[in-house]
Short mmCIF file of all heavy atoms in Angstrom, two decimals:
data_model
loop_
_atom_site.label_atom_id
_atom_site.label_comp_id
_atom_site.label_asym_id
_atom_site.label_seq_id
_atom_site.Cartn_x
_atom_site.Cartn_y
_atom_site.Cartn_z
N TYR N 13 -15.79 41.42 -45.17
CA TYR N 13 -15.62 40.10 -44.56
C TYR N 13 -15.49 39.17 -45.79
O TYR N 13 -16.50 38.84 -46.40
CB TYR N 13 -16.84 39.75 -43.71
CG TYR N 13 -17.02 40.54 -42.48
CD1 TYR N 13 -17.95 41.57 -42.36
CD2 TYR N 13 -16.18 40.32 -41.41
CE1 TYR N 13 -18.06 42.35 -41.25
CE2 TYR N 13 -16.30 41.12 -40.22
CZ TYR N 13 -17.21 42.04 -40.19
OH TYR N 13 -17.35 42.82 -39.03
N ALA N 16 -17.68 39.77 -48.97
CA ALA N 16 -18.83 40.63 -48.63
C ALA N 16 -18.40 41.98 -48.10
O ALA N 16 -17.54 42.08 -47.20
CB ALA N 16 -19.71 39.91 -47.65
N SER N 18 -19.23 45.24 -45.99
CA SER N 18 -20.12 45.62 -44.89
C SER N 18 -20.18 47.12 -44.67
O SER N 18 -21.13 47.56 -43.99
CB SER N 18 -19.80 44.90 -43.65
OG SER N 18 -20.01 43.53 -43.79
N GLY N 36 -28.55 52.67 -35.63
CA GLY N 36 -28.86 51.86 -36.81
C GLY N 36 -29.37 50.53 -36.34
O GLY N 36 -29.04 50.07 -35.27
N SER N 37 -30.15 49.87 -37.20
CA SER N 37 -30.77 48.59 -36.77
C SER N 37 -29.79 47.48 -36.96
O SER N 37 -28.61 47.74 -37.37
CB SER N 37 -32.05 48.32 -37.56
OG SER N 37 -31.73 48.49 -38.96
N ASN N 38 -30.17 46.25 -36.63
CA ASN N 38 -29.29 45.11 -36.71
C ASN N 38 -28.70 44.96 -38.14
O ASN N 38 -29.39 45.07 -39.09
CB ASN N 38 -30.14 43.85 -36.51
CG ASN N 38 -29.72 43.20 -35.24
OD1 ASN N 38 -28.55 43.23 -34.86
ND2 ASN N 38 -30.65 42.59 -34.51
N GLY N 39 -27.37 44.73 -38.20
CA GLY N 39 -26.74 44.55 -39.48
C GLY N 39 -26.37 45.84 -40.23
O GLY N 39 -25.94 45.78 -41.38
N ALA N 40 -26.59 46.97 -39.60
CA ALA N 40 -26.34 48.24 -40.21
C ALA N 40 -24.82 48.56 -40.46
O ALA N 40 -24.45 49.33 -41.26
CB ALA N 40 -26.96 49.39 -39.45
N GLY N 41 -24.01 47.83 -39.61
CA GLY N 41 -22.56 48.03 -39.74
C GLY N 41 -21.90 48.72 -38.57
O GLY N 41 -20.77 49.15 -38.62
N LYS N 42 -22.67 48.82 -37.45
CA LYS N 42 -22.11 49.54 -36.28
C LYS N 42 -20.94 48.83 -35.71
O LYS N 42 -19.87 49.44 -35.48
CB LYS N 42 -23.27 49.66 -35.23
CG LYS N 42 -24.53 50.31 -35.71
CD LYS N 42 -25.59 50.47 -34.58
CE LYS N 42 -26.11 49.15 -34.04
NZ LYS N 42 -26.81 48.30 -35.05
N SER N 43 -21.08 47.51 -35.47
CA SER N 43 -19.96 46.77 -34.89
C SER N 43 -18.80 46.73 -35.87
O SER N 43 -17.64 46.75 -35.44
CB SER N 43 -20.41 45.35 -34.49
OG SER N 43 -21.46 45.43 -33.62
N THR N 44 -19.14 46.60 -37.09
CA THR N 44 -18.08 46.53 -38.15
C THR N 44 -17.22 47.80 -38.09
O THR N 44 -16.01 47.72 -38.23
CB THR N 44 -18.67 46.29 -39.54
OG1 THR N 44 -19.44 45.15 -39.51
CG2 THR N 44 -17.57 46.19 -40.57
N LEU N 45 -17.92 48.89 -37.90
CA LEU N 45 -17.10 50.19 -37.82
C LEU N 45 -16.14 50.14 -36.64
O LEU N 45 -14.97 50.55 -36.81
CB LEU N 45 -18.10 51.36 -37.67
CG LEU N 45 -17.36 52.71 -37.52
CD1 LEU N 45 -16.82 53.18 -38.89
CD2 LEU N 45 -18.27 53.77 -36.93
N GLU N 84 -19.42 44.52 -28.44
CA GLU N 84 -20.69 43.81 -28.28
C GLU N 84 -20.40 42.47 -27.61
O GLU N 84 -19.41 41.82 -27.91
CB GLU N 84 -21.28 43.57 -29.67
CG GLU N 84 -22.73 43.33 -29.72
CD GLU N 84 -23.23 43.39 -31.19
OE1 GLU N 84 -22.48 43.60 -32.09
OE2 GLU N 84 -24.46 43.16 -31.34
N ASP N 158 -19.87 49.51 -27.79
CA ASP N 158 -20.81 48.95 -28.74
C ASP N 158 -22.05 48.38 -28.08
O ASP N 158 -21.95 47.42 -27.32
CB ASP N 158 -20.07 47.85 -29.53
CG ASP N 158 -20.81 47.44 -30.84
OD1 ASP N 158 -21.84 48.09 -31.11
OD2 ASP N 158 -20.36 46.52 -31.51
N GLU N 159 -23.15 49.03 -28.34
CA GLU N 159 -24.48 48.63 -27.81
C GLU N 159 -24.45 48.17 -26.35
O GLU N 159 -24.75 46.98 -26.04
CB GLU N 159 -25.06 47.47 -28.68
CG GLU N 159 -25.28 47.94 -30.11
CD GLU N 159 -26.40 47.22 -30.81
OE1 GLU N 159 -27.41 46.97 -30.10
OE2 GLU N 159 -26.24 46.88 -31.98
N GLN N 192 -28.98 50.62 -30.80
CA GLN N 192 -30.28 50.51 -31.50
C GLN N 192 -31.31 51.30 -30.69
O GLN N 192 -32.34 51.69 -31.21
CB GLN N 192 -30.69 49.03 -31.62
CG GLN N 192 -29.78 48.20 -32.44
CD GLN N 192 -30.33 46.81 -32.69
OE1 GLN N 192 -31.49 46.71 -33.05
NE2 GLN N 192 -29.52 45.82 -32.53
N1 LIG S 1 -17.70 37.97 -38.94
C1 LIG S 1 -18.52 38.29 -39.97
N2 LIG S 1 -18.43 37.60 -41.13
C2 LIG S 1 -19.20 37.92 -42.17
N3 LIG S 1 -20.11 38.86 -42.22
C3 LIG S 1 -20.25 39.61 -41.07
C4 LIG S 1 -19.44 39.36 -39.91
N4 LIG S 1 -19.79 40.23 -38.95
C5 LIG S 1 -20.74 41.07 -39.50
N5 LIG S 1 -21.03 40.66 -40.80
C6 LIG S 1 -22.01 41.33 -41.68
O1 LIG S 1 -21.68 42.66 -41.76
C7 LIG S 1 -22.86 43.42 -41.73
C8 LIG S 1 -22.82 44.42 -40.65
O2 LIG S 1 -22.83 43.74 -39.40
P1 LIG S 1 -22.55 44.44 -37.99
O3 LIG S 1 -21.48 45.40 -38.13
O4 LIG S 1 -22.44 43.40 -36.97
O5 LIG S 1 -23.94 45.24 -37.79
P2 LIG S 1 -24.53 45.88 -36.46
O6 LIG S 1 -23.46 45.87 -35.43
O7 LIG S 1 -24.99 47.23 -36.87
O8 LIG S 1 -25.74 45.04 -36.04
C9 LIG S 1 -24.03 42.44 -41.64
O9 LIG S 1 -24.51 42.24 -42.91
C10 LIG S 1 -23.33 41.20 -41.10
O10 LIG S 1 -24.06 40.06 -41.58
#
Side-chain angles (χ1 to χ4, degrees):
Chain N
Y13 292 105
S18 292
S37 50
N38 247 328
K42 304 181 296 298
S43 303
T44 303
L45 178 75
E84 201 171 358
D158 195 4
E159 298 208 42
Q192 296 189 48

